[in-house]
Amino acid sequence: MEMRGNRAVRETVEPAAVSVSSVFSSMVGYAGSQRQTVEMCMAAVNYPPDGLPMLLTGESGVGKSFIARLIYEYALEQQTIAAGAPFVVLNCADYANNPELLSAVLLGYKKGSFTGADRDRDGLLKEADGGYLELYQGLYHRSQRAFRMVLGGG
């Protein structure tokens, strides 16, 4: 508050505007209606020491995968991930009725561990290490449990 003569004058201080990366400029509303979303994504990427996990939710067709790709490109731009870091995508709906196979795809498996396992294979978690893993079309209840165990959330 500032005094002018014998009157107190209240000043309004606006928060400093966050500069939005040009990576997000292809997103409709990036500097308007979606600005807060973009700023939260940028903050999550830049959170020390290695960023934060993100969960993008919304109706089908609203652009969650598009935003996931922009987040990845922003992380490359900010050098929070190495140049050439992977961006791995998995459609979880393909495994809706088989959470065990989803676990094998995420974690990897050894030759002979199940029918069709004709060789050792690293999982997508290892493949995405150092980059980003996008899981889309939702994890179903049984798969969610398995994935939380992988992430250490019980």
Side-chain angles (χ1 to χ4, degrees):
M1 208 171 302
E2 176 184 333
M3 295 298 290
R4 291 194 186 144
N6 60 354
R7 293 186 350 217
V9 178
R10 182 175 294 160
E11 291 182 39
T12 304
V13 178
E14 295 294 322
V18 174
S19 174
V20 175
S21 166
S22 63
V23 167
F24 291 99
S25 65
S26 60
M27 180 178 157
V28 173
Y30 78 97
S33 63
Q34 295 300 317
R35 185 176 184 96
Q36 184 178 15
T37 299
V38 169
E39 288 174 352
M40 287 190 304
C41 292
M42 292 168 52
V45 166
N46 291 313
Y47 194 86
D50 298 316
L52 295 172
M54 288 177 250
L55 176 64
L56 305 176
T57 62
E59 298 295 321
S60 180
V62 298
K64 296 177 298 293
S65 291
F66 176 69
I67 293 171
R69 177 58 78 165
L70 294 179
I71 292 167
Y72 166 75
E73 291 173 11
Y74 176 72
L76 288 172
E77 176 186 84
Q78 295 299 299
Q79 299 177 347
T80 58
I81 58 175
F87 183 80
V88 179
V89 178
L90 175 65
N91 181 350
C92 296
D94 292 344
Y95 305 94
N97 297 316
N98 195 340
E100 292 79 16
L101 186 54
L102 176 61
S103 294
V105 168
L106 287 170
L107 300 173
Y109 52 84
K110 295 288 184 186
K111 179 180 178 176
S113 57
F114 57 87
T115 303
D118 56 354
R119 62 184 173 90
D120 290 355
R121 183 175 175 117
D122 288 334
L124 292 182
L125 290 174
K126 184 172 184 178
E127 187 180 322
D129 189 30
Y132 281 74
L133 173 63
E134 177 191 354
L135 305 173
Y136 73 96
Q137 294 301 327
L139 287 173
Y140 295 89
H141 182 67
R142 288 176 57 199
S143 302
Q144 285 177 8
R145 242 182 332 148
F147 196 65
R148 278 196 307 269
M149 289 175 68
V150 168
L151 295 177

